[in-house]
Amino acid sequence: MELFVESDAQPEILSGERIAVLGYGSQGRAHALNLRDSGYDVVVGLRPGGKTSAQAENDGFSVQTFKDAANGAGLIAFLMPDMAQAEVYEQILGNIKENATILFAHGFNIHYSLITPREDLDVVLIAPKGPGDLVRRQYEAGRGVPCLIGVHQDITEKAEARALAYAHGLGGTRGGVLRTTFGEETETDLFGEQAVLCGGLSELIVRGFQTLVEAGYQPEVAYFECMHEVKLIVDLLHEGGLAKMHEFVSETAKYGDLTSGPKVVDETTQEKMRGVLKEIQDGTFANNWVSEYQSGLPEYNRLLQEDLDSDIETVGAQLRGRMAWLQDS
Ligand code: NAD
Ligand code: MG
């Protein structure tokens, strides 16, 4: 493992250069604010009339079109949704100056060749391992969210140093910047969100809930057990791994965990995980996602609506309404 820390960064490598942050959503806002507070020269590029323009202006940025923001910038960060990046790249291509750096926070477009970058550009990855609001809050607290760093194209022979200087401006070197490749970041990120984080975990919760309800237990009680309490366990895992979780749950919970857990999630589940990984590696997932996006998201919208209409959502909305502290964050 290769980890860069604060003393490895050369922030001056980007001094005197303009950084164009294109997109002002979860990552874009955090990057633009952190980089500006770190003393970099930042401009924000957005679609004219887009919803996030007002927010960027409130935060004191003069908002420009993608093209104008990119014009003359030494480094251009693509921080709009992955499916929109190729179109934005085509739009600004004529305005990207020679030997500039283009930067991504996720490797999808480069790894699956949705963007084939011009040969004179440095192409780098800085992927913060957390959502934008965490990247911003940790920076403000004098800490930083760890990042992954990768280089796809190094024309200036300074691509990695330039990317590291950017990560440093985000606060990333305080948390540590780990070297990876576009391929490793993209495939592991997709696998994590599909098999474990968003996909796997939510399916486990919903099926646990359904199992209790169909056996005649009250949906409210099932909700507390299978959805609400996930946070307690995730916090323990996040703070101290399996050891801390085991330390804080009861002896009975621990025995049940060790003996029943492997019955629920077993070799057949892992075999399916390998199948999911294979479709990520061979490009099947990326092809499906691109064609779904291009045909107007019919299947995506149908599945999403099914999730939102499910019983656990109805019960959950009612119960969460009674837990005032949940509305604080
Ligand atoms: P987001 O969805 O929050 O981006 C919204 C911004 O993009 C807004 O400013 C909006 O005006 C603009 N936008 C939306 N649709 C557009 C379109 N069709 N054309 C042009 N602009 C459009 O994006 P995000 O979640 O911050 O993701 C940005 C990048 O960061 C992605 O590559 C993503 O994979 C990566 N990333 C995200 C997270 C995260 O936690 N959200 C974490 C790590 C990496
Ligand atoms: Mg689901």
Side-chain angles (χ1 to χ4, degrees), residues 18 20-22 43-46 64-73 76:
R18 186 140 38 81
V21 170
L22 308 186
V43 295
V44 172
L46 283 174
Q64 307 182 7
T65 62
F66 289 130
K67 272 189 182 173
D68 289 344
N71 208 2
I76 301 166

Side-chain angles (χ1 to χ4, degrees), residues 23-28 46-47 50-52 66 78-82 84-85 88 105-106 127-128 130-132 189 293:
Y24 204 73
S26 173
Q27 291 294 327
L46 283 174
R47 287 178 299 189
K51 268 188 285 185
T52 46
F66 289 130
F78 283 76
L79 299 173
M80 68 290 303
D82 295 309
Q85 290 176 8
V88 174
H106 177 40
D189 191 73
Y293 183 81

Side-chain angles (χ1 to χ4, degrees), residues 198-199 202-203 206 307:
C198 313
S202 67
E203 250 0 273
V206 170
D307 252 18

